[in-house]
Amino acid sequence: MTAPWFRDPLFGFSLSVILYSAGLIASKRFRWLHPLFFSSAGIILLLVLTGIPYEDYEPGGQLLTFFLGPATVALGVPLYKHGERIREQLAAVLGGITAGAVASIVSTGLLLWALGGSRETILSALPKSVSSPIAVELARMTGGTPETSATLTVLTGLAGSMMGESLLKLLRIRGDLPIGIAIGTAAHGIGTSRLLRRSEAQGSYSGFAMAMNGIVTGVLYIPLIWWFGR
C-alpha cells in the first residue's frame, strides 16, 4: 500500500521534470547521454526500489504527455524560418526520407525474421522509426502489440539520438541539412529534440523529416494493413 500522495498526478509530473532536468545537467558532462535516457532509467529505478506501482506514476506521466502536443506543434516555428533550404532541394530530401523509411522497414523485418522472431514481434517492430503515436496505431492495425511497438520506438529514438551523430561523422556526412534529415528520419522526435538544443537549423530539418517519415511510412503500410486485416 503506497502513500496517497504518490497517486497524485503532480507526483509523476514532478518526478519526470526533476529527473529530466538532472539529465540535462548530466548531458553537459557526458555529451553522448540523452536526458530522456537518464530520466527514464531514473524513474524505472526509483519505482522498482521504492515499490511504487507504475499505476500510481502513470497519471502524472499522462499529464506531461498532454503538453507534448503543443510542444510538437512548436517545431513548425524553426521549420518556417529554415524552410527555404528544404524547398530548394525538396526532391532530394523526400527521396532520402523515403529511402530511409523503406530501409528501416525492410532491414528490421529481415533481421527479426532471420533471428526467428514471431509474426507479432516483427509487426510490432517494423514502424520503430516513426513517432510513438503513429507506430502504436500501425502496429495495432496490422496485428502487432502496441505496447511493444511503443517501447521499441522509444529505444530506437534514444539509440539514434545518442549514436547517430557519431555514425554520421564517421561516414563523413557534414552539413545541417543532411544531418537533420538523417536523424529525423531514423530517430523521430527524440533525435529532433537533441538536435534542437544545439542547432536550430538541424532541429528544423529533423522535425520536417520526422513528420514526412510518418506520412511515408503510413503510405508504405497500406499494403500490410490490407493484407493482415483481411
Side-chain angles (χ1 to χ4, degrees):
M1 187 72 176
T2 57
W5 63 272
F6 283 141
R7 294 188 288 274
D8 191 302
L10 286 178
F11 164 69
F13 184 89
S14 301
L15 179 62
S16 300
V17 171
I18 290 172
L19 286 178
Y20 188 83
S21 299
L24 287 174
I25 296 173
S27 66
K28 294 179 180 179
R29 178 74 168 80
F30 306 100
R31 293 183 59 85
W32 57 269
L33 181 64
H34 196 292
L36 183 59
F37 178 81
F38 180 94
S39 57
S40 299
I43 291 171
I44 293 172
L45 186 62
L46 181 63
L47 295 182
V48 170
L49 292 178
T50 59
I52 299 173
Y54 174 75
E55 289 74 17
D56 289 352
Y57 164 80
E58 186 178 19
Q62 291 297 328
L63 180 62
L64 189 62
T65 301
F66 170 79
F67 291 104
L68 290 180
T72 302
V73 173
L75 289 173
V77 176
L79 177 59
Y80 176 80
K81 294 170 63 176
H82 299 276
E84 184 62 33
R85 178 84 185 277
I86 295 177
R87 286 192 291 270
E88 292 174 353
Q89 304 183 49
L90 186 59
V93 168
L94 293 180
I97 294 171
T98 302
V102 172
S104 174
I105 294 172
V106 172
S107 62
T108 299
L110 289 177
L111 178 62
L112 289 178
W113 174 78
L115 293 174
S118 66
R119 171 182 174 276
E120 184 178 37
T121 300
I122 294 174
L123 292 174
S124 300
L126 289 181
K128 62 179 178 53
S129 288
V130 297
S131 57
S132 294
I134 299 175
V136 165
E137 194 59 34
L138 290 176
R140 180 181 292 112
M141 288 190 292
T142 53
T145 306
E147 294 79 6
T148 302
S149 185
T151 301
L152 293 174
T153 300
V154 171
L155 290 176
T156 298
L158 286 173
S161 67
M162 291 191 291
M163 297 183 290
E165 290 182 81
S166 297
L167 178 59
L168 293 175
K169 184 177 180 180
L170 183 65
L171 296 174
R172 300 183 183 278
I173 295 176
R174 303 285 190 272
D176 290 338
L177 184 61
I179 292 175
I181 295 301
I183 296 296
T185 301
H188 48 83
I190 298 177
T192 299
S193 66
R194 177 156 191 159
L195 289 183
L196 272 173
R197 289 194 290 117
R198 191 188 67 243
S199 169
E200 184 181 73
Q202 290 183 11
S204 66
Y205 302 143
S206 183
F208 176 79
M210 173 186 70
M212 290 307 303
N213 188 29
I215 297 173
V216 170
T217 300
V219 172
L220 294 174
Y221 254 73
I222 291 176
L224 286 176
I225 294 171
W226 175 81
W227 178 264
F228 289 109
R230 291 187 304 173

